[in-house]
Structures are given as structure tokens and as C-alpha cells.
Amino acid sequence: MVNIPVLEQMNQILHILFIFLPFLWALGTLPPPDALFLWAMEQVLEFGLGGSSMSTHLRLLIMFIISTGTAVTSYFIPSTVGVVLFMTGLGFLLSLNLSEMVFGLKHSVTGHRVGTKSKALPNGLEKQFTWKEYLFYSIVLVLALLETGLLHHFADFSQISKNSPQAIVGYILMILFIILWILKEIQSVYIFGMFRNPIYPKHAQTVTLFLEKQTKLMKIGVVRRILINLVSPFAMIAFLSLDSSLQGLHSVSVSIGFTRAFRMVWQNTENALLETVIVSAVHLLISNTDIWWNRNLDTGIRLLLVGIMRDRLIQFISKLQFVVTVLLASWTEKKRRKSTTTLCVLNIVFSPFVLVFIVFSTLLSSPLLPLFTLPLFLVGFPRPIQSWPGVVGTTACVCADTVYYYQMVPSLNTALQSAVAAGSLGLLLPGSHYLGRFQDRLIWIMILECGYTYCCINIKGLELQETSCHTAEARRVDEVFEGAFEQEEYARACSINEHFGNVLTPCTVLPVKLYSDARNVLSGIIDSHDNLKEFKGDLVKVLVWILLQYCSRRSNMQENVHKTENKWKASLIILPPLNTSPQTESPEDTDSLNSENLDDWSDDVFGEEPTIKKGKEEKDQLKVLPGINLPIPGSVESQRVGKHSTGTVTENSLYQAVALGYPATDKGKQEAMAYIPLMEFSCSHSHLLSLPEEWISNCLPNSKVKEMSSLFPEDWYHFVLRQLECFHSEENASNVVEEIAKDRVLKDFYVHAVMTCYFSLFGVDNMIPSPGHILRVYSGIFPWSLALDWLTEKPELFQLALKAFRYTLKLMIDKASLGPIEDFKELTNCLEEYESDWYIGLVSDEKWKEAILQEKPYLFSLGYDPNMGVYTGRVLTLQELLIQVGKLNAEAVRGQWANLSWELLYATNDDEERYSIQAHPLLLRNLTVQAADPPLGYPIYSSKPLHIHLF
């Protein structure tokens, strides 16, 4: 064996190859085993078996095994009709989204058994399959099988000629291809990416106006979808069924070629139509049967070869555009023109070698890697379409802004469904990348998988906190989209794309339901003395309204749980409620109104944030309030609250109250305590609005309560009572309301609770609040006061007081912007709107995120800009707005991602300011790096594979 020439030559070649293996590995040309395996499966599945690259590696493996089994099985079928029917049926079924169809069917059956329907399905399936879709697929399958079987059975398999049935079908396919190509091009804003489409709307400021102008395009899109989903597949099936090559049974070429052809008809109809038209045209033009193309190849293999050439030609053109763009980017960059000029000249001089690299990269279907994004090109290792290992959508750099993308994705998914069905995004291929833009949001869309009436995508959201590089490229993206979508009405009908050399080509705009972000400076409003003076009076009114609304809803909930007779007899309330025992305070708590506490609460908003001693506060919030048993009027014996568990309660102990906030006394001494008389509601319905027992306390001095009681608006209190809905079910609702309004005991309870909250919000001084005070309290940092500890022990009341304060601030801003409130009715409507349609709080709150996910119509937040020294208001408004979408050069994205992988993993260049991530308007380098999967990239949102139904 040593003397065999072939082995000796192979030995020499391998010796030379082994020497270069470390060098090839260092250059990133040798693929890792997993990437090579997945890449090989993708290539065989797509070009050998007619499938598509899949959204997950597991789906790819399963589909590869099934598709290979289909081709092998067709080889052993003894009947030609059986082979044709088998290939047609399996080709149609495998092109469907079978996994999601099975899951949807199982989910619907389970839902019917349980009797409930799930609101959302996993894996991003926003829309369940309906019985109409299953019926549609069944009818299409039956018709396809009937057409294939009948045509193949009765066809005359004579040599193809210009008058044969197959040639006539070929002419029909050519006409269909031309019509579909025209309909696809006019759906996008640019024809060939260069000339402005005269039919496309020139300018649309609102969604309604744009949809009105786009009506004609939508009708054209419906026609195009019918031609693609129904007419074209059946026409291509007719062409394949009439082919004489199917007569050759047990042929490997027939099994592989026609299995792929019958699958491609459904899997990728537009590409299959192009391939069929080319094969038909070549066959009609070349009538000589002695040519190798006609003699040695059957129609299935011809279609396979044309498909490979089509894909590689598109890749070659995209790679060539990418090379030219990198050269232009390096040449036009003024800062590095001197250092890159030499490389540009070398690329021009050695252009044949550059073309060899491009061709070799194209043949391998591997990315063309520009080292450090400089015009120095290498061939990257072959890898799957996804470019990154791992499952799509499992990693993202989640932050506070992620929720904005999470909210908009379902609506964006629906908008993409219409755009893809109409053809607005151009030819849809796995591995295509799109970029969407709205205000400060950048949406990266990648096509993972395509099939019959569906496609699978991944949506990524890029960071909102724009860096200088991010801002520079985002500005260029805005310029590209503005030049395409915001033209003046008098502009030329067919203008040229000014940004043709950019990797981004505008496609269309999508109406999406999302939040628009508006930020305003509140100077002149929040610091106005008159506004702040009105703020204090409005706060009392809002507190009254919120407490009454809360008690009204609370009573309704309690009545639904239990109803008791003569409940008003048990409505004896003690002001304040009985406490277990007088609490002794620590020495730290006795520093009631010392100067240090007040100094910590100065209005210096430029310094550090004021802080409340959290140790005691957090403990107090976690305390379980002791059970309070109220005495029943008329009873002789009652539960003792205090040291003794049971026994007779003396009159003295019943009237005893604990004065909180005063220095502790020795246990041996008896201090005279304030006696609060027992009071009983004068109205039998007052219990419906009674405050929780623990919310009534004598934590404030009587002098302070009497001083502020004059601020309580009785007329507003009576007005709000009449507006409550809890009395509408009563027979004499108006009389009941009047009786409750006359109940002075109930009113005194509300006066006490409202004034205690009011005192807690403004502290010891009843002065006009400063803007710094407003911001601190709005942020949940209350000033120290006698009532603060008492209030923090009641988290629910604390939150209600904070909500009232925030509502009052929003009311003050609205009054300053829109005008004063004229009457109580208008004020009530305003507060009801805040309650139902607004979330007013902080961006950092968890409830802020919950409100966005619940799609509250409006959100408001108060902030402070230390750089400008101004107070700011941020308003989010949920509405349907237009997102501009453009298509990226897929090879430019793959090439830059390949360089990112090589630079960080092979060259270990992790410099945060490295050249390859610096902004460039032509290449969009910084945005492309951001969109890579972590840990190399850093998108703040990445969706799981989303399946879009194009039914």
C-alpha cells in the first residue's frame, strides 16, 4: 500500500494541510464541530431536500431526519402515481408549521375539556389555529393530491415541445412570475432599492391618514397573496406532474430532485416559481437533446442546481455590496483616512484575489469577515443562519427599559403579519434582517424560518440610553427613513434613493400600538407660588375623594362576603381605638422635633437625597397589628384589651387612650390620660363608609387637629358622598346619602384621618411647600412628623396618602396647562380619569412596569434634571403610531458578527473603545454589535421565536 500513488499524494497534501491548520484556526476559518454539523444539516435540508432553516436546533434535527426519510422512502415506492402522490402530500405537510398546529390542536382540545381558554400561548404563539385554517389546509391538500394524481395518470409524457401541456403550463408560470414580481416591487417604498415608488404614500403624519393612502396597496397585497398561496403552487404542481422524468422509478436523482421540487412549491413558493420559470425557459430555448443539460439531468436535478446557483448568486451580490461599502466607509472616515488609504489601494490592486475570497466565501455560504471591520477580508468559518449558538431569545441584558419592547411586541407581530403577507418587506428568506425605528426605540427583526403561510421571527430591542456612537448611527437611520417616508407632496414622483450605498434600505411603515414618550420642563409650574398655594387646598380634597372611594369599594366587597342583621348597632367606634398598652419609646424616638431632623429635610435638592431612618420604619411596616375587639353597646361584659385576657372592662379602661409621641413615664406613676367619649353613628348606613378601625388614632395633639380641621372642605365632602355608587342599589338612595351626610361622627372620623395624612405629608410647618419638598414626597420620602411612625405602620393608608399627593401634583400641572377647574363635577371627572386611565408614580416603581404591561392609556412621572437644574415631567401615551422599517444587508450583518466573534474569542480584543464598534453611518457598526446575542452583544430585549401566520 505504500507504493500506491494516490495514497502518497494524499499523504503529501495532508502534511501540508496540517501545517496550516493552526494558522487557519487562528484566522477563524476552521469551524467548531457543532457549527459545522448544524451548517451541513441546514445546507442539505434547504438545497437537497427543499426545506428551510429552522428556528431552533432541535427543530432542525427533527426536520432533517423526517425530510431525509421522505426522500429515501420515495425511492422504494413501486408505482409512479404513488411516488407523485407521496411527494406531493409529504411536501405540503412538511412545509406547514406542524409543531405549532399540533400544539394548537392539543391546547384547544384541553381548553374545551376544562371549559376555559388560555389567554396566551407559550413560544410567542399569539394567535391560535382555528378550525377554518385546519379546514383550509385539508382542502388544499386534497385538491393538490387530486390534481397531481389525475394529471400524472392521464398525461401524455411525450418530449417537451412548444405545444406540449407542460410547455403551456410553463408559459403560465412565466406570466405569473412577472405579475408577482411587479406586485411585490410596488408594495415597497423603493423599487430595486433605488427608485422611489410613485404609488407609495409620500407623507403620512398619522396612522389614519397613512392607512387611507395605503388602501390601494393593501388590495394589491391581497391579490398577490392569493396568487402566491393558491394559484402558483397548483400551477407548479401541474408542471411537475406532467414531467416525463417521473417515469424513471428507483432513481436516486428522481427521488432527491422531485422530493425537493414538490416540497419547495409550498415551502418557498416565490423562489420555487423563479427556479421553475428558469428551467422551463431554458428547456424551451435549448431544443437540442444532445446537450448535457438535457441528456444527463432530469427536471428535479435541474431545479436543484438552479436553486443552488440562485442562492449563491444572491449571496455573491450581497457580499460584493458589503465589500464596496466597507471600502467606502474606510475611505470616507476622515479620522482614519491616512491609515486606511493603503488598505483601500491594496484592495483595488489585488482586486482579483479579493474576488477569489468573495467567491470562496459564497460557495461555502460562510460570512465574509472584515478584520476589525477594516478593508482586510478573510473567509469566516461556515455557520448556521442564526450565527450564534444556543436557543434564540433566551438571553438579553434586561433592564428597566425592557418593558417597553415587551409591551409593543404583540402589536408589532400583528403589523408584521399584514406587511409580510402583502410583500412590503420584499422577498422573505431565512437569515434576512430588518431594522425598525420609533422615537428612541430601535427594533431588530431577524427571519428564522419560512414555510407555507407562516414565518418565524426573532425581535430584539436595543438600548434606549443612547451613547455617542449609538446616537450618531440612530441619527443616520432617521435621515434614511425621513428621506423615504417624509417627502413633501410636491416632490418628484420617482426620485432616487440618496442613501443607496447604506446597508439599510427602507421598506415600509407599520402601524403599531405602543407608548409615545414626551418629556416636558415644569419650570414656571411646580415652582409657582400661586400653584403651590392651591396645591395644599387641592390635596385635602383629593384625600377626601380617595378615602371615600376606598371605603365605598371596601364596603361593597365586604357585603358580598357576609351580611349581618342590625349591623349599625355594632358600629360603636372609639376615637382613638383601644391599644393594648402604652408603648414606651426608645431614646432615639424621643427626638421629636430637634434641629437635626429638620435640617435633614431641607429643600437643597442639589445635595444628597434625604433619607428616613429605615431601621425602625421597615420593622414597623412588618408588624402585625394586634386584634382589636370593640365592645358591643348595651353589653355588660366585654373583652379586656390589655394585660388581662378576659374579664370585665371598667369604664375607666374603656375611655383610656394612649398618647403616642410623648416621653415615656415610669410604670409606677399614673398619668392622667385624655378621655375620648364613646360615639355612635347617627345613621344606620354609615357603616358602609366607615374607615378601618386601625386608621383612627390620637397620634396628634388636639390643638394641631383643631387647627387644621378648618381646612376640611365640608361641601366637597357632601358632594363626593352624593356621587358614590355604593348607594345606587338602595331604595331611597338620595335619602340615605342625606342621612350619612348629616352624620357628624362619620365626618369627624374622616376629618381626623385626612388631617393626619395631611400633617404627615407636609411635616410640622403648615407652610407653602417648596418644589424640593414636592419631589421628595412624590418619591415616597415623607418629612419627619409626629404622625409619620403611625402612618408607616399602616402600609395601605400610606399608599393612599402617597397616591393622593401624586394625583394632586398631576392636577396642579393640568390646571396650569389647561386652565382652572370650574366646579366640583369637573374635579370629580378629572380624578376619575386619573383613577381609570392613568398611572401616576415613579419610573423605578414595579407598578410602573405593571401599568405598561396592562397597557394603561397614560403614565406620568416627576423627575429632576441635575445638569440643567430643572424639574421635568414625563408622560407616556398609548396610541397606534407608525414604525419605520428597513431591510439590512444580510451579508453585512453576518460579516460584522463574524468579526465580532473572531475579535473577542480569537484575537481577545475586548477593548470597550475598539475601532470595530465605533459608529459609522454606512455600516451601522455599533447597532449591529448591539444586536448580537449576549455575551458578545447587549440587546435589552430578545423575544422567543414568534410564529407569524400569513393565512
Side-chain angles (χ1 to χ4, degrees), residues 411-428:
S411 179
L412 177 60
N413 200 17
T414 304
L416 283 170
Q417 177 181 354
S418 302
V420 172
S424 301
L425 300 182
L427 184 62
L428 213 64

Side-chain angles (χ1 to χ4, degrees), residues 865-932:
D865 188 349
N867 296 324
M868 299 178 62
V870 294
Y871 295 90
T872 58
R874 183 180 182 186
V875 178
L876 299 184
T877 305
L878 183 65
Q879 52 188 325
E880 197 172 30
L881 298 167
L882 297 175
I883 289 183
Q884 299 162 332
V885 179
K887 188 173 185 178
L888 294 160
N889 186 330
E891 292 303 322
V893 175
R894 293 186 70 200
Q896 292 183 75
W897 281 357
N899 171 71
L900 176 66
S901 175
W902 178 88
E903 192 173 355
L904 294 182
L905 301 180
Y906 289 86
T908 62
N909 178 22
D910 59 351
D911 183 8
E912 295 182 356
E913 299 299 327
R914 61 187 183 275
Y915 173 74
S916 59
I917 64 171
Q918 297 302 311
H920 198 284
L922 284 179
L923 290 174
L924 303 181
R925 280 189 300 222
N926 190 266
L927 298 181
T928 305
V929 169
Q930 284 187 51

Side-chain angles (χ1 to χ4, degrees), residues 404-508:
Y404 300 109
Y405 289 108
Y406 196 93
Q407 176 272 327
M408 68 181 288
V409 161
S411 179
L412 177 60
N413 200 17
T414 304
L416 283 170
Q417 177 181 354
S418 302
V420 172
S424 301
L425 300 182
L427 184 62
L428 213 64
L429 295 173
S432 300
H433 296 266
Y434 297 88
L435 185 66
R437 175 71 168 166
F438 173 75
Q439 287 187 352
D440 56 353
R441 269 154 276 186
L442 283 162
I443 304 102
W444 193 284
I445 305 167
M446 181 180 179
I447 309 299
L448 302 174
E449 178 183 339
C450 291
Y452 184 63
T453 67
Y454 86 95
C455 72
C456 185
I457 65 172
N458 167 242
I459 298 177
K460 294 178 181 177
L462 306 188
E463 63 179 357
L464 304 187
Q465 302 296 330
E466 298 181 350
T467 60
S468 57
C469 294
H470 182 104
T471 304
E473 293 187 352
R475 190 182 304 117
R476 174 51 64 94
V477 171
D478 291 336
E479 291 175 2
V480 172
F481 283 137
E482 287 173 6
F485 300 115
E486 298 181 13
Q487 291 192 347
E488 300 294 336
E489 292 294 335
Y490 55 81
R492 286 189 302 170
C494 191
S495 58
I496 297 177
N497 182 8
E498 298 177 357
H499 304 279
F500 179 68
N502 199 293
V503 295
L504 177 65
T505 303
C507 292
T508 187

Side-chain angles (χ1 to χ4, degrees), residues 45-51 66-75 77 83-84 86-88 90-92 94 240 246 251-267 298 300-301 303-304:
L45 179 62
E46 184 173 354
F47 301 107
L49 302 171
I66 295 174
S67 301
T68 304
T70 301
V72 172
T73 304
S74 65
Y75 177 83
I77 297 177
V83 169
V84 172
F86 179 78
M87 290 179 177
T88 303
L90 266 294
F92 175 78
L94 293 179
L240 295 174
L246 288 170
S251 170
V252 175
S253 63
V254 171
S255 297
I256 294 176
F258 279 93
T259 298
R260 175 192 178 277
F262 278 104
R263 171 84 175 271
M264 278 287 291
V265 165
W266 308 100
Q267 189 82 49
D298 56 60
I301 298 300
L303 290 170
L304 188 149

Side-chain angles (χ1 to χ4, degrees), residues 807-869:
Y807 280 15
T808 309
L809 175 68
K810 184 66 176 66
L811 180 65
M812 181 183 74
I813 296 173
D814 288 348
K815 287 167 64 176
S817 305
L818 306 176
I821 301 293
E822 296 183 356
D823 51 22
F824 287 164
K825 183 65 176 177
E826 187 178 351
L827 178 58
T828 303
N829 294 338
C830 190
L831 294 176
E832 288 175 351
E833 183 184 351
Y834 293 162
E835 188 73 20
S836 60
D837 297 341
W838 286 79
Y839 175 76
I840 302 173
L842 295 175
V843 177
S844 57
D845 292 343
E846 282 298 320
K847 289 186 177 180
W848 179 277
K849 298 178 182 178
E850 294 175 6
I852 291 176
L853 296 179
Q854 294 169 3
E855 295 193 337
K856 277 273 187 181
Y858 307 98
L859 290 90
F860 173 83
S861 176
L862 179 68
Y864 179 76
D865 188 349
N867 296 324
M868 299 178 62

Side-chain angles (χ1 to χ4, degrees), residues 129-150:
F129 283 90
T130 62
W131 65 269
K132 294 181 181 179
E133 291 176 87
Y134 289 107
L135 179 62
F136 171 78
Y137 292 139
S138 303
I139 293 173
V140 171
L141 177 60
V142 171
L143 292 178
L145 293 174
L146 284 174
E147 179 191 12
T148 305
L150 293 174

Side-chain angles (χ1 to χ4, degrees), residues 505-728:
T505 303
C507 292
T508 187
V509 293
L510 304 176
V512 178
K513 189 177 183 182
L514 45 69
Y515 281 98
S516 62
D517 195 345
R519 302 169 191 249
N520 304 311
V521 176
L522 299 180
S523 299
I525 298 178
I526 196 172
D527 52 359
S528 170
H529 181 79
D530 294 336
N531 291 340
L532 293 174
K533 188 176 180 180
E534 290 183 10
F535 178 89
K536 298 187 67 175
D538 291 337
L539 177 59
V540 179
K541 295 179 181 178
V542 176
L543 279 168
V544 171
W545 185 85
I546 285 182
L547 290 179
L548 282 171
Q549 292 290 332
Y550 171 83
C551 293
S552 173
R553 288 192 295 267
R554 179 169 168 267
S555 65
N556 288 336
M557 292 173 61
Q558 289 178 348
E559 284 188 358
N560 292 334
V561 177
H562 64 280
K563 293 183 178 180
T564 56
E565 294 181 359
N566 300 325
K567 192 172 182 179
W568 67 275
K569 293 182 179 179
S571 60
L572 178 68
I573 307 296
I574 300 175
L575 180 62
L578 295 175
N579 292 281
T580 55
S581 62
Q583 297 181 357
T584 60
E585 298 185 353
S586 62
E588 290 85 353
D589 294 334
T590 58
D591 300 333
S592 57
L593 294 177
N594 58 31
S595 59
E596 291 182 4
N597 289 334
L598 294 179
D599 290 340
D600 288 341
W601 236 89
S602 65
D603 293 330
D604 183 13
V605 297
F606 298 99
E608 296 181 356
E609 286 288 336
T611 56
I612 298 175
K613 295 179 182 179
K614 294 183 179 179
K616 183 178 185 304
E617 183 177 325
E618 291 177 356
K619 292 179 182 178
D620 290 342
Q621 290 179 356
L622 296 176
K623 282 183 180 178
V624 179
L625 293 173
I628 300 175
N629 299 313
L630 296 177
I632 301 175
S635 64
V636 177
E637 294 187 356
S638 178
Q639 298 290 328
R640 174 181 293 276
V641 182
K643 298 179 182 178
H644 308 287
S645 58
T646 57
T648 305
V649 181
T650 63
E651 184 181 4
N652 211 28
S653 63
L654 270 178
Y655 291 98
Q656 214 170 29
V658 180
L660 299 178
Y662 294 96
T665 57
D666 294 335
K667 292 183 179 180
K669 298 180 180 180
Q670 288 287 348
E671 290 286 337
M673 307 301 294
Y675 290 97
I676 309 296
L678 280 78
M679 289 173 286
E680 185 177 321
F681 289 141
S682 62
C683 175
S684 61
H685 295 278
S686 293
H687 70 275
L688 296 174
L689 297 178
S690 62
L691 292 166
E693 298 158 358
E694 64 272 14
W695 288 11
I696 307 172
S697 173
N698 194 28
C699 62
L700 295 179
N702 290 333
S703 60
K704 180 63 69 174
V705 174
K706 290 180 180 179
E707 175 187 341
M708 293 189 298
S709 295
S710 59
L711 302 175
F712 188 83
E714 289 194 28
D715 50 351
W716 167 251
Y717 170 76
H718 294 156
F719 179 83
V720 176
L721 281 177
R722 297 185 182 94
Q723 303 296 318
L724 294 179
E725 297 180 356
C726 61
F727 305 115
H728 291 177

Side-chain angles (χ1 to χ4, degrees), residues 176-303:
L176 267 177
F177 173 75
I178 295 172
I179 293 174
L180 285 173
W181 178 81
I182 294 173
L183 295 181
K184 176 176 69 68
E185 288 296 326
I186 64 177
Q187 287 291 327
S188 184
V189 66
Y190 283 118
I191 299 173
F192 299 120
M194 184 181 295
F195 304 103
R196 182 65 160 74
N197 182 3
I199 303 178
Y200 199 88
K202 289 185 178 181
H203 186 75
Q205 295 180 345
T206 62
V207 176
T208 306
L209 182 61
F210 173 77
L211 293 178
E212 289 177 0
K213 294 183 178 181
Q214 205 188 23
T215 305
K216 294 180 181 179
L217 292 178
M218 296 303 295
K219 294 178 180 178
I220 294 173
V222 172
V223 174
R224 179 181 175 275
R225 202 69 210 164
I226 293 173
L227 293 177
I228 287 180
N229 286 342
L230 296 175
V231 180
S232 297
F234 284 100
M236 283 186 282
I237 285 176
F239 180 86
L240 295 174
S241 302
L242 295 171
D243 194 84
S244 58
S245 303
L246 288 170
Q247 297 299 315
L249 289 174
H250 309 299
S251 170
V252 175
S253 63
V254 171
S255 297
I256 294 176
F258 279 93
T259 298
R260 175 192 178 277
F262 278 104
R263 171 84 175 271
M264 278 287 291
V265 165
W266 308 100
Q267 189 82 49
N268 199 328
T269 306
E270 292 184 74
N271 284 339
L273 182 60
L274 173 61
E275 296 167 11
T276 309
V277 166
I278 292 174
V279 169
S280 177
V282 170
H283 208 155
L284 292 173
L285 293 174
I286 303 175
S287 58
N288 189 357
T289 57
D290 294 333
I291 297 178
W292 169 81
W293 177 266
N294 291 332
R295 185 180 66 254
N296 297 334
L297 300 178
D298 56 60
T299 303
I301 298 300
R302 293 173 200 155
L303 290 170

